[in-house]
Amino acid sequence: MKKTYQDLFNILGKAIGLPDHFLALKNGSTGGGVIQTSASECILVTMLAARAQAIKRLKSQHPFVEECHLLSKLMAYCSKEAHSCVEKAAMICFVKLRILEPDENASLRGHALYEAMEEDELQGLVPFFVSTTLGTTGSCAFDNLLEIGQELQKFPGVWLHVDAAYAGNSFICPELKPLLKGIEYADSFNTNPNKWLLTNFDCSTLWVRDRIRLTSALVVNPLYLKHGYSDAAIDYRHWGVPLSRRFRSLKLWFVLRSYGISGLQKYIRHHIDLAKRFEQHVIKDKRFEICNQVKLGLVCFRLKGSDKLNEKLLSAINESGKLHMVPACVGERYIIRFCAVAQHATEDDIDYAWDIIVDFANELLEKEQHDELTEIINKKKENTLAQKRSFFVRMVSDPKIYNPAINKAGTPKLSLETASPVVSRSGAGNPEIRTQSSVDHHSWISWPLAFLFNSNNEDSGQKSNVSLRFRHLDTNVRSSSSRRSSAAGSSPSPENESNVVSAIRSPKRSPRKGPLTINSISNQ
């Protein structure tokens, strides 16, 4: 059974294109493979192994330092686009994790990793583990494994893991093997046949360069687990977290025997063609945009617009039950992920899926346009109301707005000097109040003030000798006596009433009768 299990990994590893040092049963090879439950467990196991090797190395250099202190110095690295299981593994291992920014194509580059590791070493930290991704979950982006591997040659002892859970299955196609460039620098590699090789969950294959480094970190050998074949067979309870294991290799073996490598290659190429067809649909519709480099079966797209708009679109599509897609955030943008995963998917299925997306997009955009038009109308109404209110305020404070006669008369020029009034009498004996300035233009006073002055005189029954000066007029005003205090003491009459104050006179306007009239001449 030992030979059969490792034969399985040799067959699949060769088909993927892994170097010989990952394959067991080779002369002088220390590598080998094991099936784990998921890529998350593969990353956790390799990080535990890397941590154990780092602590061992530091302990030999600093034998009197506590292991807990050495543990606090360890630093792991991954890209921002890496799966969240890397962060979870770091939490379980009690090590620090530095998440690095990828480039514009969501790819982690070698210089970014080198600068981060060099900076951490200057701070007294110890780089020990790097997790790279070939085919990220968000957008199926590929870290530059070749650059990263070359940079890590400057940091001996750092474990380089390659997570290719989805994309790794496609490397069985010769035309896709360039995506694996740089794998010779890796210490471990994992892919999930249950994602793209027609194998039921769970089945995650993990290859390591040195199985001794892996098992030495996880070996626990109490007396009740010892047996007489410990030296003759590989004990896979030392290759992972659980002691007990399911017989998962059998289902993978059946898939390989049933389809063969050529059958699986045809299956993967068909899905890539379907993804390319969907990509062309998106490109033809100018309302949408492609958000990733479509290399395999994943197409990331979005409506041109806000993230909120795309959230509404995806939510409506998923709620309909006609189609299901998963979102992601790549480059601080909300994107929609479309992946051809159905085993028997056809081009008609892709066209049908696109028609559904277009129908929901049309409905959503029409509603958005209607809501936008309604918002514009409401905003216009609010602006109109605000303008009316503003006009009313200006009308009350500036009579020129509602009294065209004032505009004809001209605006009086203001002077900082106080002009003393000169009281003269007209031919009818009515008093006029004039300033000592020129008499070419007449100023005005609004009727509420005239009413106020007249009311004060009538109530008091006495003539007011208080001189009033208006803020914006070079005019001093003194109110005249009321009808009650007139010398004749006669009853009110038009003649007596006109004796109070003469009306405002503008150049082209006849005198206006009223309880209070002021003629003032502004300074030129």
Side-chain angles (χ1 to χ4, degrees):
M1 192 63 198
K2 164 191 172 184
K3 189 175 187 304
T4 303
Y5 191 85
Q6 289 301 322
D7 279 342
L8 175 64
F9 276 88
N10 286 347
I11 294 172
L12 185 57
K14 285 181 179 180
I16 290 174
L18 296 179
D20 289 343
H21 56 248
F22 280 109
L23 307 178
L25 306 180
K26 288 280 185 178
N27 293 331
S29 174
T30 59
V34 64
I35 297 179
Q36 306 286 8
T37 56
S38 65
S40 301
E41 186 176 359
C42 293
I43 293 176
L44 173 62
V45 167
T46 54
M47 187 178 289
L48 287 170
R51 186 187 71 171
Q53 293 297 314
I55 292 294
K56 182 179 179 180
R57 183 176 66 255
L58 292 175
K59 193 67 176 177
S60 63
Q61 298 173 0
H62 310 281
F64 302 106
V65 179
E66 292 288 338
E67 288 190 7
C68 60
H69 180 72
L70 298 177
L71 184 63
S72 66
K73 298 294 184 180
L74 299 184
M75 177 69 76
Y77 302 87
C78 72
S79 169
K80 184 179 179 181
E81 297 300 324
H83 197 275
S84 60
C85 64
V86 182
E87 185 176 357
K88 190 171 185 179
M91 294 169 57
I92 297 174
C93 293
F94 285 96
V95 295
K96 296 179 175 63
L97 175 67
R98 184 165 180 176
I99 300 176
L100 306 176
E101 286 290 335
D103 63 8
E104 64 278 2
N105 294 321
S107 173
L108 180 62
R109 305 301 297 271
H111 63 86
L113 177 63
Y114 174 77
E115 292 174 359
M117 296 175 70
E118 190 177 43
E119 179 183 344
D120 289 338
E121 279 195 339
L122 293 176
Q123 299 295 327
L125 300 174
V126 180
F128 82 102
F129 183 84
V130 176
S131 179
T132 58
T133 308
L134 299 181
T136 59
T137 303
S139 61
C140 199
F142 290 78
D143 292 339
N144 198 313
L145 185 59
L146 180 61
E147 289 184 0
I148 293 173
Q150 291 173 348
E151 295 294 345
L152 286 182
Q153 300 306 303
K154 306 171 186 177
F155 300 88
V158 176
W159 186 296
L160 176 59
H161 177 72
V162 178
D163 177 19
Y166 167 70
N169 302 281
S170 67
F171 298 152
I172 64 175
C173 299
E175 66 273 17
L176 297 176
K177 279 183 170 55
L179 298 175
L180 194 61
K181 191 175 182 180
I183 189 62
E184 62 273 11
Y185 295 103
D187 293 284
S188 55
F189 174 90
N190 77 270
T191 187
N192 291 7
N194 59 265
K195 287 191 173 180
W196 211 1
L197 285 185
L198 297 170
T199 305
N200 294 334
F201 182 83
D202 56 355
C203 185
S204 183
T205 51
L206 170 67
W207 286 267
V208 292
R209 177 191 292 265
D210 188 351
R211 59 179 179 265
I212 304 302
R213 293 174 64 190
L214 176 67
T215 57
S216 61
L218 300 171
V219 61
V220 177
N221 198 21
L223 181 60
Y224 50 80
L225 292 179
K226 291 183 179 181
H227 54 83
Y229 299 95
S230 298
D231 299 330
I234 297 177
D235 197 338
Y236 287 100
R237 64 187 171 92
H238 301 315
W239 289 58
V241 175
L243 296 177
S244 302
R245 301 177 57 81
R246 291 188 293 277
F247 194 10
R248 289 170 293 203
S249 60
L250 188 61
K251 56 186 177 184
L252 181 57
W253 179 264
F254 280 148
V255 169
L256 293 175
R257 293 288 293 178
S258 299
Y259 289 88
I261 298 299
S262 59
L264 294 174
Q265 289 173 346
K266 181 179 178 180
Y267 173 75
I268 289 174
R269 287 167 181 155
H270 175 63
H271 275 192
I272 294 176
D273 291 339
L274 295 180
K276 291 293 184 180
R277 183 179 183 87
F278 184 84
E279 180 189 18
Q280 292 303 314
H281 283 312
V282 178
I283 293 175
K284 291 178 183 178
D285 195 326
K286 301 303 180 182
R287 300 173 301 173
F288 292 86
E289 60 180 329
I290 298 293
C291 303
N292 72 323
Q293 296 177 337
V294 182
K295 297 179 180 180
L296 301 180
L298 178 66
V299 182
C300 298
F301 71 102
R302 57 178 273 138
L303 271 172
K304 294 179 180 179
S306 63
D307 289 348
K308 193 67 176 179
L309 180 65
N310 286 275
E311 289 180 19
K312 291 180 181 178
L313 175 61
L314 182 59
S315 177
I317 293 174
N318 289 344
E319 287 178 1
S320 70
K322 299 178 180 179
L323 195 65
H324 181 79
M325 293 179 291
V326 178
C329 183
V330 178
E332 307 300 333
R333 294 197 306 169
Y334 185 94
I335 64 172
I336 302 174
R337 302 167 65 255
F338 180 89
C339 190
V341 294
Q343 179 177 352
H344 303 291
T346 63
E347 293 182 352
D348 292 337
D349 295 328
I350 299 300
D351 297 340
Y352 172 74
W354 176 246
D355 291 339
I356 292 175
I357 295 172
V358 170
D359 290 341
F360 279 96
N362 291 336
E363 182 180 350
L364 179 61
L365 291 176
E366 289 178 3
K367 183 179 179 182
E368 289 290 324
Q369 291 176 356
H370 179 268
D371 293 344
E372 184 178 355
L373 180 60
T374 304
E375 184 179 355
I376 292 175
I377 294 174
N378 293 336
K379 190 174 182 179
K380 186 175 181 181
K381 289 181 180 179
E382 293 176 0
N383 293 339
T384 303
L385 181 59
Q387 185 178 7
K388 289 180 178 179
R389 291 174 176 171
S390 175
F391 178 80
F392 177 76
V393 173
R394 289 184 289 113
M395 182 185 70
V396 173
S397 60
D398 188 356
K400 288 185 291 184
I401 295 179
Y402 66 90
N403 193 343
I406 296 177
N407 289 329
K408 285 185 177 182
T411 304
K413 295 183 178 180
L414 305 182
S415 174
L416 296 176
E417 299 178 358
T418 303
S420 58
V422 177
V423 181
S424 63
R425 292 191 174 274
S426 62
N430 295 328
E432 281 191 1
I433 303 176
R434 299 177 180 271
T435 61
Q436 294 177 351
S437 58
S438 173
V439 294
D440 292 340
H441 298 282
H442 297 281
S443 62
W444 52 269
I445 185 170
S446 60
W447 65 266
L449 293 177
F451 178 78
L452 175 63
F453 292 131
N454 187 46
S455 300
N456 290 337
N457 291 337
E458 291 181 353
D459 293 341
S460 61
Q462 298 178 356
K463 182 177 180 180
S464 174
N465 294 323
V466 180
S467 177
L468 303 177
R469 184 178 184 276
F470 294 93
R471 176 179 298 177
H472 300 301
L473 298 175
D474 293 337
T475 304
N476 287 333
V477 178
R478 190 181 303 276
S479 59
S480 61
S481 60
S482 65
R483 292 173 293 177
R484 294 180 183 178
S485 59
S486 61
S490 59
S491 60
S493 65
E495 291 78 11
N496 292 332
E497 190 173 359
S498 63
N499 291 335
V500 181
V501 182
S502 62
I504 298 176
R505 293 179 177 86
S506 59
K508 296 182 181 181
R509 191 173 176 185
S510 59
R512 179 181 60 183
K513 291 184 179 182
L516 176 65
T517 305
I518 298 173
N519 254 343
S520 113
I521 313 292
S522 62
N523 293 331
Q524 295 298 318

